[in-house]
Amino acid sequence: YMSNIRNPHVFNFVALPQVMAIGTLAECFNNRAVFEGVVKLRRGLTAKLVLRTKAMPDLFQLFFDFANMMGNKVDPNDPSAAETRAALETVVDVVLPHVRTTPDLTVPNRLAIIVFIAVSIRLLQRRNALEAGTSWVLRRGGIPAPQDM
């Protein structure tokens, strides 16, 4: 029903309680602190949720994130673990087609690794040359010393 809401103010009014509810559920899920005190969403996270919930893609992403968070907290020894995982997988299956994918960063990451390796090799070669005394070092300011030439 939320996908049919066109007014952004009405959408925020309807979507924010849903996001806060699943966020609180994810925070409380399999958390022993529930029995010791009050468990709430942190203020910073609450502010992020309010600012991020502007449209349906945002809502789908948050539901996906919280469902995965709860899925990671499922205790395999729990007798209802299979049912819980099935319910969470249903949520993920519903929202997954609508979740934005991240760009493929393999090429930039590989390039960064290659540059890092090249710079590291050069620095190691220079350090070894300095330790062996086969390289010259230009001291800051002044005339180079004879050992620098």
Side-chain angles (χ1 to χ4, degrees), residues 32-86:
R32 291 185 176 270
V34 170
F35 301 109
E36 298 169 3
V38 178
V39 176
K40 293 182 177 182
L41 293 175
R42 291 174 293 131
R43 287 183 184 179
L45 179 58
T46 301
K48 282 183 184 179
L49 295 178
V50 169
L51 294 174
R52 281 182 58 189
T53 309
K54 298 295 178 199
M56 281 304 292
D58 305 325
L59 190 71
F60 287 129
Q61 181 68 50
L62 291 168
F63 269 73
F64 178 78
D65 293 343
F66 285 128
N68 281 325
M69 181 190 291
M70 285 187 278
N72 292 335
K73 291 182 176 182
V74 174
D75 184 8
N77 300 324
D78 185 2
S80 63
E83 292 175 37
T84 305
R85 283 187 204 277

Side-chain angles (χ1 to χ4, degrees), residues 24-135:
T24 303
L25 183 61
E27 191 69 33
C28 292
F29 185 78
N30 215 2
N31 186 348
R32 291 185 176 270
V34 170
F35 301 109
E36 298 169 3
V38 178
V39 176
K40 293 182 177 182
L41 293 175
R42 291 174 293 131
R43 287 183 184 179
L45 179 58
T46 301
K48 282 183 184 179
L49 295 178
V50 169
L51 294 174
R52 281 182 58 189
T53 309
K54 298 295 178 199
M56 281 304 292
D58 305 325
L59 190 71
F60 287 129
Q61 181 68 50
L62 291 168
F63 269 73
F64 178 78
D65 293 343
F66 285 128
N68 281 325
M69 181 190 291
M70 285 187 278
N72 292 335
K73 291 182 176 182
V74 174
D75 184 8
N77 300 324
D78 185 2
S80 63
E83 292 175 37
T84 305
R85 283 187 204 277
L88 292 171
E89 286 172 6
T90 302
V91 172
V92 169
D93 290 342
V94 169
V95 300
L96 190 58
H98 307 285
V99 173
R100 288 174 267 187
T101 58
T102 57
D104 184 18
L105 297 176
T106 51
V107 173
N109 286 344
R110 287 183 182 161
L111 182 62
I113 290 170
I114 291 169
V115 169
F116 174 76
I117 290 171
V119 169
S120 298
I121 289 171
R122 177 65 184 129
L123 289 174
L124 288 172
Q125 289 173 344
R126 184 158 181 199
R127 185 168 107 194
N128 290 338
L130 284 172
E131 289 174 355
T134 59
S135 177

